[in-house]
């Protein structure tokens, strides 16, 4: 029989049995209906009353039967209905008051059932076809309904209690097992199979500090106001189950208590005390983009980074947030093999983690999913239990028990601290997310699936979506949206957000570019009228006579710029004049941007907020209005411009005899590109014609400019030699550049940017000017100087790198920056692949390096901390690019004040440090956006011109994958062994610090044997770059080793 609601009715059973079965079967059916309506979730088995872990001295209830799970998932089967009817008929007999209940009888019968018969009962429920009258057991055996009724008996007391407390069925059906993170880092909902439940039971640990995962309803919690729609103040409705008319207007009892997924944050006072006592640690969170459940913060002792495992440990913090963490107990720390050999983007790729005496379980490493495509889902409860109670699981099955972490471990294994977030100091992440909208049936909200899987999925109110989305959601399948996270409740794994903008179609450069900029918080807005009102009004602008009288007039000197051919913001110029005594007067002239920026006016505030210009492949997002950065401040040729100059008297060998700083006026005589300067350097005797160069000022013949370039080149080589001898280091990594169609701005070709002598010439004098300025402002403002420091690399990682190089037979001295530089420039062979080997080794050496940082000298008392490791100089700053860097503007103001040609800096030590910190953040963002733009354009190039074939060199080897440097394009790609077509098997071997993969290729025919290919660092392989199905994505496909190399296909 079937009720009007579509549920199975069992009213024909004996009264007590029928009532009990009706109540609980309806609850089970509602549970499954809810699971069907929930996003992307297969039906789940409700197990809200999990059994505690058994101990020898503690009795426990019988374990749950999988038959019950299958019964719930198949309750709507017509054969199951017939089965209930048959059971009712067979059990319909008069009951006396003193007769035992059928439930009690079923339990007592169970005590005498042989194991084989119980196993048969388990197997009989493998398919819905088993639910038939013929499958009923005899009275002496256990039936499937007996198991079910037994299960119901264990739940009756609690459900009756909940009803007495006013907990409605609707509230109960809303409870579900929430998720943590899937392999690709997304928050997902999924069912838990019987096998997975068994794994959970085996892996659970009881720890005093652990919190159980929450059973919640996704999408609940306040929805904060925003700007996209009038519905911004509406709260998210409960997502527990489908709306029922019968429930509307009812006065409900108290809401069922739910355990939070995330621990509550500590108070600011608790955090402050904890940091002072050393119980807590503060740092910037870094999330691995390739393994999204892995997070790290720097260790305060400069040792191995502290590991955070999963979304629960991160406690709603996002990438780049400044967080406070509590270190977990030692038994939960991770056992690390050797992460020096290769770490990809974090320290975790080659790590083995400890579970104490627990056997590790195996998970499979997968290729990250393309944008907008959802992967198979993992078990919600498994993931939550793994993260809350066993935060030290590994990706590799070792099949044995790990020893106690406190004892010495073989093969140099060491412990890595693990932690959990207890407080977010500053939300550095913009909370803007690019992604795709997915319509959810019977839900008042849609789901945004982020392109960046390090952020959670986001529930967005349907009223916030395009008007026709709920009716024509398929039309938006490939549409990119930008969404801002407005709330992330502690009892939900899903954030809440508001759509900010519909960007356009995925795969198109402009929507993708805008998404990158918005997601990283780059200010795209036009400058306001208030800002523009700070600019000079009378155009064309000329230098006032009063200002001219205050400056050194250098307009008749031979001064010129050397920049990329496409540059429009020219902020540095050079001059070189030979003196009668054979020495040279060399000048570096920098645009005087601070003249146009009055401190603390609207223009200065927006410049300090943007902090840097952002350079992308096809455009620039300027820090200043274009009137300044391209006109009034840019040192354009044949135009009078205000500058800050530093002029040295210097010997041909590069020894500085005197130095002068001051404000000046120049008139550049020509705008040279790096190509122009390079051609002059390579042809010192050539007489260049006017047609070969840009227009030159009539006061300075081409020969004079040519001679100045040659003299600068000669001095620069000597300066560089002095720096190298003094212990400087340069980790040079080649980058990809593009040629664009002038109309469409689409990539027509790509090439490796060459760093040549002309680039080195400019760099050398910019370094000299920055070093000189740093010493000058620090001497006069020891508490206010804004400098730039570069901390030394992490010692432990350098030690491990040294061991690795020794094992590889590479003679490397990592004792200092100078020793490292000398080692890198030592020949790594004498063949066509020497440069490639050097680049791979450079990449390995760059991982232990720390970022260079702006800082205020008054904050750090130890002068030794001021040192710049790579340059090997005690003081350094940025002075030479004020058009595109706000830090340089602060330095210019300090310099002007020190020279008496400008007002005192109106900032305190703390305010300078705050500006410095903000500049650090924006510089990091700018670099990341620039890299993403390059990746975007190369993805388009591969799609339009691919597949592209190239040799590649192995950069690092993991247990199931390896990374390669594609030599023709200098891009890095990871190749997953399980995705290689034609591969029969593979095996991993680790010898000391090095890893090695042996790939076994399937034989082409019966007459040939399988081909083995050994993959290790520096191995050469053939790859093919092919566009993926997802927009802008491409992958490297490994070719069989015996295949002949073919020519690269180029556009």
């Amino acid at each position: 029989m079937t009720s009007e609601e579509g549920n199975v009715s069992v009213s024909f059973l004996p009264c007590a049995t029928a009532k009990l079965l009706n109540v609980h079967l309806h609850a089970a059916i509602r549970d499954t209906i809810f699971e069907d309506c929930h996003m992307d979730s297969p039906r789940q088995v409700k197990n809200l009353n999990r059994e505690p872990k058994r101990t020898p001295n503690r009795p426990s209830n019988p374990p749950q039967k999988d038959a019950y799970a299958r019964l719930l998932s198949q309750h709507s089967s017509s054969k199951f209905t017939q089965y209930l009817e048959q059971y009712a008929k067979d059990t319909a007999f008069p009951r006396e008051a003193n007769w035992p209940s059928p439930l009690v009888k079923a339990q007592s019968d169970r005590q005498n059932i042989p194991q084989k018969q119980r196993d048969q009962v388990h197997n009989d429920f493998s398919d819905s076809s088993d639910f038939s009258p013929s499958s009923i057991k005899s009275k002496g055996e256990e039936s499937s309904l007996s198991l079910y009724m037994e299960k119901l008996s264990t739940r009756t007391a609690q459900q009756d209690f909940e009803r007495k407390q006013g907990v409605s069925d609707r509230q109960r059906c809303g409870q579900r097992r929430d998720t943590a993170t899937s392999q690709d880092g997304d928050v997902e909902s999924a069912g838990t199979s019987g096998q997975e439940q068994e794994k959970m039971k085996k892996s659970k640990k009881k720890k005093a500090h652990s919190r159980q995962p929450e059973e919640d309803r996704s999408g609940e919690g306040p929805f904060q106001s925003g700007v996209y729609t009038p519905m911004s103040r509406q709260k998210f409705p409960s997502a527990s189950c489908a709306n029922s008319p019968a429930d509307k207007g009812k006065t409900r009892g108290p809401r069922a208590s739910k355990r939070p997924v995330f621990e509550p944050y500590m108070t600011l006072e608790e955090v402050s005390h904890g940091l002072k006592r050393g119980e807590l640690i503060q740092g910037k969170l870094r999330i691995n983009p390739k393994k999204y459940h892995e997070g790290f913060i720097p260790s305060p002792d400069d040792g191995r980074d502290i590991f955070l495992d999963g979304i629960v440990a991160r406690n709603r913090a996002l990438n780049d947030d400044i967080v406070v963490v509590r270190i977990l107990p030692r038994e939960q720390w991770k056992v690390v093999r050797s992460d020096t050999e290769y770490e990809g983007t974090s320290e975790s790729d080659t790590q083995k983690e400890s579970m104490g005496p627990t056997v590790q379980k195996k998970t499979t490493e997968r290729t990250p999913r393309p944008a907008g495509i959802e992967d198979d889902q993992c078990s919600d409860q498994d993931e939550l239990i793994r993260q809350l109670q066993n935060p030290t699981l590994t990706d590799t099955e070792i099949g044995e028990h790990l020893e106690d972490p406190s004892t010495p471990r073989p093969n140099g294994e060491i412990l890595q601290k693990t932690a959990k977030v207890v407080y977010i100091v500053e939300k550095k992440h913009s909370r803007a997310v690019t992604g795709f909208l997915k319509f959810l049936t019977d839900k008042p909200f849609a789901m945004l699936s982020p392109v960046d899987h390090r952020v959670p999925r986001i529930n967005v109110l349907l009223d916030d979506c395009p008007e026709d989305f709920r009716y024509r959601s398929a039309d938006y399948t490939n549409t990119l949206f930008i969404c801002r996270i407005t709330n992330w409740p502690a009892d939900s794994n899903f954030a809440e957000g508001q759509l900010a903008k519909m960007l356009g179609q995925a795969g198109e450069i402009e929507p993708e570019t805008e998404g990158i900029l918005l997601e990283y918080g780059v200010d795209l807005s036009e400058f306001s009228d208030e800002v523009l009102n700070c600019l000079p009004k009378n155009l064309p602008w000329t230098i006032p006579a009063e200002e001219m009288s205050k400056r050194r007039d250098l307009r008749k000197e031979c001064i010129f710029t050397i920049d990329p051919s496409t540059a429009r913001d020219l902020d540095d110029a050079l001059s070189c004049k030979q003196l009668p005594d054979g020495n040279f007067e060399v000048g570096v002239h920098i645009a005087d941007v601070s003249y146009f920026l009055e401190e603390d006016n609207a223009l200065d505030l927006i410049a300090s907020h943007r902090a840097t210009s952002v350079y992308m492949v096809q455009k620039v997002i300027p820090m200043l209005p274009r009137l300044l950065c391209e006109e009034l401040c840019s040192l354009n040729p044949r135009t009078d411009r205000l500058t800050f100059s530093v002029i040295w008297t210097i010997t041909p060998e590069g020894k500085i005899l005197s130095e002068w700083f001051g404000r000046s006026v120049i008139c550049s005589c020509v705008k040279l590109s790096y190509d122009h300067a390079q051609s002059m350097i390579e042809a010192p005797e050539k007489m260049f014609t006017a047609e070969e160069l840009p227009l030159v000022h009539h006061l300075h013949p081409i020969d004079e400019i040519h001679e100045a370039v040659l003299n600068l080149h000669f001095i620069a080589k000597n300066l560089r030699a002095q720096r190298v001898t003094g212990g400087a280091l340069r980790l040079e990594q080649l980058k990809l550049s593009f040629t664009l169609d002038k109309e469409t701005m689409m990539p027509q070709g790509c090439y490796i940017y060459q760093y040549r002598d002309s680039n080195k010439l400019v760099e050398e004098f910019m370094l000299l000017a920055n070093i000189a300025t740093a010493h000058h402002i620090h001497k006069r403002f020891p508490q206010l100087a804004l400098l730039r420091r570069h901390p030394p690399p992490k010692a432990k990682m350098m030690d491990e790198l040294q061991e690795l190089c020794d094992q590889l037979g590479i003679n490397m001295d990592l004792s200092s920056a100078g020793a490292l530089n000398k080692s890198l420039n030592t020949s790594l062979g004498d063949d066509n692949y020497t440069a490639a080997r050097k680049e791979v080794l450079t990449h390995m050496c760059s991982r232990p390096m720390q970022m260079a940082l702006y800082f205020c000298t008054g904050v750090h008392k130890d002068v030794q901390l001021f040192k710049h490791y790579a340059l090997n100089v005690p003081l350094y700053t940025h002075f030479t690019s004020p058009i595109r860097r706000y830090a340089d503007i602060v330095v210019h103001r300090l310099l002007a004040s020190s020279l008496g040609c400008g007002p005192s800096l109106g900032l305190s030590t703390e305010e300078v440090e705050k500006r410095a910190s903000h500049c650090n953040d924006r510089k990091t963002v700018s670099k990341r956006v620039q890299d993403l733009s390059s990746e975007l354009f190369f993805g388009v190039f591969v799609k339009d011109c691919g597949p592209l074939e190239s040799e590649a060199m192995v950069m690092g080897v993991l247990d199931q994958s390896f990374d390669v440097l594609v030599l023709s394009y200098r891009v890095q790609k990871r190749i997953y062994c399980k995705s290689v077509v034609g591969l029969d098997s593979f095996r991993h071997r680790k010898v000391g610090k090095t890893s090695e993969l042996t790939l076994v290729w399937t034989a082409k025919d019966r007459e040939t044997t399988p081909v083995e290919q050994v993959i290790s660092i520096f191995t050469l392989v053939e790859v093919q770059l092919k566009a993926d199905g997802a927009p802008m994505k491409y992958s490297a496909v490994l070719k069989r080793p015996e295949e002949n190399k073919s020519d690269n296909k180029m556009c």
Side-chain angles (χ1 to χ4, degrees):
M1 297 177 63
T2 306
S3 69
E4 293 180 359
E5 296 178 5
N7 294 340
V8 179
S9 174
V10 287
S11 57
F12 48 75
L13 296 179
C15 181
T17 305
K19 182 176 180 181
L20 184 62
L21 186 58
N22 249 325
V23 169
H24 294 291
L25 187 58
H26 277 257
I29 291 171
R30 279 192 300 271
D31 285 350
T32 307
I33 291 174
F34 165 65
E35 294 302 331
D36 287 343
C37 76
H38 206 283
M39 65 176 108
D40 297 337
S41 179
R43 293 172 179 171
Q44 301 183 23
V45 179
K46 291 292 167 185
N47 183 17
L48 303 181
N49 302 301
R50 294 188 58 81
E51 305 287 351
K53 188 174 182 179
R54 296 189 188 184
T55 63
N57 300 323
R58 180 179 175 181
S60 60
N61 294 329
Q64 299 176 11
K65 293 294 184 179
D66 289 342
Y68 170 66
R70 283 187 290 276
L71 193 65
L72 283 180
S73 65
Q74 304 174 59
H75 61 80
S76 59
S77 166
S78 59
K79 292 187 178 182
F80 178 48
T81 304
Q82 296 173 12
Y83 175 63
L84 289 178
E85 294 172 356
Q86 183 66 41
Y87 180 85
K89 292 176 183 178
D90 291 347
T91 57
F93 56 90
R95 284 184 57 196
E96 299 295 338
N98 58 349
W99 285 11
S101 166
L103 295 178
V104 177
K105 175 64 176 173
Q107 277 189 307
S108 62
D109 287 347
R110 181 177 179 182
Q111 309 301 321
N112 301 320
I113 296 177
Q115 182 64 40
K116 291 184 179 179
Q117 293 177 346
R118 296 183 194 177
D119 293 341
Q120 181 63 36
V121 171
H122 178 90
N123 294 334
D124 283 344
F125 287 89
S126 61
D127 191 81
S128 60
S129 60
D130 293 337
F131 293 108
S132 64
S134 62
S135 65
I136 299 178
K137 304 291 179 183
S138 63
K139 186 174 181 180
E141 297 176 331
E142 180 184 22
S143 71
S144 60
L145 192 57
S146 296
L147 296 175
Y148 180 45
M149 299 297 285
E150 177 190 7
K151 180 64 183 178
L152 294 181
S153 70
T154 66
R155 299 177 65 185
T156 303
Q158 179 180 354
Q159 291 198 358
D160 288 343
F161 174 77
E162 288 178 346
R163 284 190 171 86
K164 290 177 183 179
Q165 297 296 319
V167 181
S168 68
D169 287 344
R170 178 181 176 87
Q171 288 171 314
R172 268 193 313 280
C173 84
Q175 293 179 320
R176 69 176 183 87
R177 292 184 183 132
D178 270 333
T179 70
T181 23
S182 68
Q183 179 68 21
D184 65 9
D186 276 345
V187 180
E188 298 179 341
S189 171
T192 307
S193 66
Q195 183 180 8
E196 289 168 335
Q197 290 177 359
E198 193 65 22
K199 288 183 180 179
M200 282 191 297
K201 293 177 183 177
K202 291 181 180 180
S203 64
K204 284 184 66 176
K205 294 181 180 177
K206 293 191 297 179
K207 300 201 177 287
H209 66 279
S210 298
R211 305 272 183 109
Q212 291 296 323
E214 172 199 44
E215 296 162 353
D216 83 345
R217 285 163 291 188
S218 160
E220 284 196 328
F223 189 72
Q224 298 176 358
S225 62
V227 296
Y228 189 71
T229 70
M231 300 299 294
S232 60
R233 296 186 180 274
Q234 179 179 342
K235 290 186 177 182
F236 271 95
S238 170
S240 58
C241 54
N243 294 329
S244 168
D247 289 334
K248 292 181 179 179
K250 287 186 178 181
T251 302
R252 302 188 181 186
R255 175 179 171 179
S257 62
K258 300 193 301 181
R259 289 170 295 184
V261 176
F262 304 102
E263 292 187 11
Y265 295 128
M266 297 175 69
T267 65
L268 183 59
E269 183 179 5
E270 291 172 333
V271 168
S272 179
H273 291 322
L275 290 172
K276 290 179 181 178
R277 292 192 296 263
E279 298 170 353
L280 304 176
I281 296 173
Q282 179 174 316
K284 178 180 285 191
L285 175 63
R286 186 181 77 254
I287 303 175
N288 188 346
K290 292 184 179 179
K291 290 187 177 180
Y292 311 107
H293 65 279
E294 297 178 342
F296 304 88
I297 69 163
S299 175
D301 61 0
D302 288 335
R304 190 173 307 279
D305 286 347
I306 298 168
F307 180 66
L308 289 84
D309 187 16
I311 190 175
V312 174
R314 297 200 296 264
N315 201 356
R316 292 164 287 171
L318 299 183
N319 194 55
D320 289 336
D321 284 354
I322 305 299
V323 298
V324 174
V325 302
R326 183 188 297 278
I327 301 297
L328 296 177
R330 185 182 178 87
E331 61 268 19
Q332 296 184 27
W333 291 3
K334 177 183 292 187
V335 177
V336 183
R337 290 190 301 231
S338 169
D339 60 356
T340 307
E341 176 188 355
Y342 189 70
E343 300 161 8
T345 55
S346 76
E347 294 188 26
S348 56
D349 285 335
T350 57
Q351 290 169 345
K352 180 168 61 181
E353 304 167 1
S354 168
M355 288 176 55
T358 307
V359 176
Q360 299 182 13
K361 75 176 185 179
K362 183 178 182 180
T363 59
T364 302
E365 182 181 16
R366 297 183 294 175
T367 306
R369 71 180 190 181
I373 305 231
E374 296 173 10
D375 283 338
D376 294 336
Q377 298 166 336
C378 66
S379 164
D380 300 350
Q381 193 73 4
D382 269 348
E383 184 69 2
L384 285 173
I385 294 297
R386 183 180 76 84
Q387 294 173 350
L388 282 171
Q389 296 184 333
N390 298 320
T392 53
L393 295 176
T394 183
D395 286 342
T396 306
E397 182 178 23
I398 61 171
E400 62 184 4
H401 297 283
L402 291 177
E403 69 277 13
D404 187 275
S406 62
T407 61
R409 301 174 188 273
N411 301 325
E413 291 178 343
I414 57 177
L415 286 176
Q416 180 180 22
K417 295 177 182 178
T418 58
K420 61 181 179 181
V421 172
V422 297
Y423 191 77
I424 300 178
V425 177
E426 185 176 0
K427 295 180 178 179
K428 295 282 190 178
H429 190 283
S430 67
R431 266 57 182 178
V433 181
T434 303
F436 299 87
L437 274 182
K438 181 174 181 180
F439 182 75
L440 305 174
T441 306
D442 297 329
K443 297 291 181 184
F445 52 83
M447 181 189 72
L448 186 125
S449 181
V451 173
D452 183 354
H453 308 309
R454 293 174 294 181
V455 295
R457 294 183 178 179
I458 305 168
N459 291 332
V460 179
L461 288 173
L462 282 176
D463 291 324
D464 207 29
C465 299
E467 292 183 3
D468 60 343
F469 176 74
R470 67 182 71 200
Y471 310 111
R472 302 177 61 88
S473 59
D475 294 350
Y476 296 90
T477 301
N478 200 44
T479 302
L480 276 175
F481 290 86
I482 191 76
C483 176
R484 298 196 182 278
I485 295 176
T486 57
N487 187 36
W488 193 349
D491 60 0
S492 176
N493 280 298
F494 299 90
E496 299 166 359
Q498 282 191 309
L499 293 184
K501 188 175 183 180
M502 183 169 66
L503 299 175
Q505 292 301 297
E508 296 180 2
I509 284 181
E510 285 309 312
E512 296 275 1
T513 296
E514 187 176 3
I516 292 171
L517 293 170
L518 292 173
E519 191 164 337
Y520 281 86
V522 177
D523 189 350
L524 294 174
S525 63
E526 296 293 332
F527 291 99
S528 67
D529 291 340
E530 184 183 9
V531 170
L532 297 178
N533 285 336
C534 299
L535 301 176
K537 300 294 189 300
N538 298 323
L539 299 177
W541 179 82
T542 57
I543 301 174
E546 181 182 0
E547 185 63 31
M548 188 78 75
S549 64
K550 299 177 183 178
R551 295 174 178 260
R552 183 171 174 176
D553 191 348
L554 301 174
R555 288 177 294 174
K556 294 183 179 180
E557 300 293 330
C558 180
I559 298 174
F560 48 87
T561 60
I562 304 176
D563 288 281
S565 58
T566 57
R568 290 187 289 183
D569 50 351
L570 314 180
D571 47 16
D572 59 85
L574 294 168
S575 64
C576 184
K577 179 173 64 176
Q578 190 165 15
L579 301 175
D581 60 2
N583 295 322
F584 294 92
E585 184 182 86
V586 175
V588 171
H589 315 277
I590 307 301
D592 189 0
V593 178
S594 61
Y595 171 83
F596 297 95
L597 266 70
E598 181 182 342
E599 193 169 357
D600 287 334
N601 70 3
L603 178 57
D604 184 50
L605 292 177
I606 191 64
S608 66
H609 170 70
R610 297 193 176 196
T612 180
S613 295
V614 180
Y615 292 83
M616 310 188 79
V617 172
Q618 80 280 31
K619 61 182 176 182
V620 180
I621 309 300
M623 180 182 76
L624 300 171
R626 295 193 183 276
L627 177 63
L628 288 184
C629 62
E630 295 181 6
E631 294 293 334
L632 304 188
C633 293
S634 183
L635 306 183
N636 297 326
R638 302 175 306 282
T639 308
D640 294 350
R641 288 292 178 252
L642 301 178
T643 52
F644 241 124
S645 296
V646 52
I647 300 175
W648 302 276
T649 301
I650 189 169
T651 68
E653 294 74 29
K655 182 180 179 181
I656 297 175
L657 303 177
S658 66
E659 180 179 82
W660 178 86
F661 284 97
R663 279 183 148 155
S664 57
V665 181
I666 71 165
C667 180
S668 172
C669 61
V670 66
K671 175 189 174 183
L672 297 177
S673 69
Y674 283 117
D675 290 334
H676 294 138
Q678 187 65 30
S679 63
M680 290 180 172
I681 292 171
E682 293 175 354
E685 305 298 330
K686 181 178 177 179
M687 300 292 293
F688 286 86
T689 64
E691 290 75 18
E692 295 176 274
L693 298 174
L695 184 61
V696 177
H697 196 288
H698 67 278
L699 293 179
H700 304 285
I702 295 176
D703 290 348
E704 182 183 4
I705 297 170
H706 188 186
E707 182 181 2
V709 170
L710 293 176
N711 288 333
L712 287 171
H713 171 58
F714 181 78
I715 299 171
K717 287 196 300 181
N718 290 328
L719 290 172
R720 178 178 291 268
Q722 290 177 22
R723 286 198 308 108
V724 171
T725 303
L729 165 68
R730 179 179 176 83
L731 293 177
E732 183 177 344
Q733 292 179 314
L734 303 179
K735 66 177 183 178
L736 194 64
S737 295
F738 299 89
T739 55
L740 305 179
D741 183 278
K742 292 183 179 180
E743 294 183 0
T744 65
M745 300 304 289
M746 295 291 285
Q748 292 181 318
C750 61
Y751 58 94
I752 306 300
Y753 186 81
Q754 297 296 319
Y755 190 77
R756 300 175 295 178
D757 286 339
S758 57
N759 302 83
K760 296 175 183 178
L761 181 159
V762 175
E763 178 190 38
E764 213 54 52
F765 288 104
M766 297 305 111
L767 291 174
L768 189 63
N770 288 334
I771 293 170
T773 304
H775 283 273
H776 184 90
I777 63 173
H778 178 251
K779 182 178 180 180
R780 287 157 179 77
F781 301 108
Q783 298 298 311
L784 277 181
L786 190 152
L787 302 184
R788 187 164 175 82
R789 65 189 179 95
H790 184 207
K794 298 183 178 180
K796 292 181 180 179
M797 294 181 68
M798 291 294 278
D799 291 341
E800 293 180 350
L801 178 60
Q802 182 72 70
E803 293 180 37
L804 172 62
C805 292
D806 292 343
Q807 188 170 340
L808 291 172
I810 302 173
N811 185 20
M812 293 289 291
D813 183 356
L814 308 180
S815 60
S816 66
L820 174 56
N821 190 76
K822 183 177 180 180
S823 298
L824 283 173
N825 287 283
T826 301
S827 176
L828 295 172
D830 188 17
D831 54 38
N832 295 332
Y833 302 103
T834 299
R837 278 191 288 269
K838 179 181 177 182
E839 189 167 353
V840 169
L841 191 58
T842 298
H843 181 85
M844 294 165 59
C845 293
S846 67
R847 288 197 307 275
M849 298 297 167
Q850 301 193 65
M851 298 290 292
L853 299 168
Y854 297 112
F855 72 103
C856 179
T857 53
V859 173
H860 299 276
K861 304 304 180 184
D862 187 356
V863 180
Q864 291 299 316
L865 297 177
F866 297 2
K867 185 176 179 179
H868 197 289
Y869 171 81
L871 296 174
N872 197 26
V873 294
L875 300 176
Y876 187 70
T877 194
H878 274 165
F879 160 73
T880 55
S881 297
I883 291 179
R884 60 184 179 92
R885 291 189 308 229
Y886 187 78
D888 300 54
I889 294 176
V890 176
V891 170
H892 277 225
R893 288 173 176 161
L894 288 167
L895 184 58
S897 179
S898 72
L899 297 172
C901 56
S904 299
L905 187 68
L907 297 174
S908 65
T909 297
E910 292 73 19
E911 289 170 329
V912 173
E913 177 66 18
K914 187 175 180 180
R915 297 280 178 97
S917 177
H918 181 67
C919 289
N920 290 330
D921 294 337
R922 300 319 299 170
K923 184 174 178 64
T924 301
V925 164
S926 176
K927 179 63 170 65
R928 181 59 183 149
V929 167
Q930 184 177 357
D931 292 342
L932 289 172
S933 178
S934 182
E935 292 174 14
L936 173 65
F937 272 77
F938 190 66
V940 173
F941 180 73
V942 173
K943 178 183 177 182
D944 293 344
C945 304
L948 310 174
E949 296 184 358
S950 173
E951 284 184 309
M953 182 169 284
V954 176
M955 304 178 66
V957 180
L958 308 179
D959 57 350
Q960 300 181 41
S961 61
F962 58 96
D963 284 9
V964 297
L965 174 68
V966 183
L967 300 183
S968 297
Y969 306 100
R970 286 318 196 260
V971 295
Q972 302 170 20
K973 294 298 290 184
R974 177 163 292 181
I975 297 176
Y976 296 87
C977 296
K978 292 185 177 181
S979 66
V980 176
V981 177
L983 205 61
D984 183 66
S985 64
F986 64 94
R987 58 183 181 271
H988 175 257
R989 185 170 72 100
K990 191 166 185 66
V991 181
K993 296 286 184 181
T994 62
S995 279
E996 181 180 280
L997 280 169
T998 300
L999 311 182
V1000 181
W1001 293 84
T1002 306
K1004 288 187 174 180
D1005 51 53
R1006 295 181 180 179
E1007 298 179 357
T1008 59
T1009 59
V1011 177
E1012 289 194 355
Q1013 183 180 19
V1014 178
I1015 301 295
S1016 60
I1017 293 180
F1018 300 133
T1019 297
L1020 279 172
V1021 296
E1022 293 284 335
V1023 298
Q1024 186 181 72
L1025 301 181
K1026 297 178 63 176
D1028 289 341
M1032 306 296 189
K1033 302 296 181 180
Y1034 69 95
S1035 58
V1037 179
L1038 182 65
K1039 299 178 66 176
R1040 292 181 68 95
E1042 69 272 20
E1043 291 181 0
N1044 293 328
K1045 179 172 61 175
S1046 58
D1047 293 334
N1048 292 348
K1049 181 179 178 182
M1050 300 288 290
C1051 287

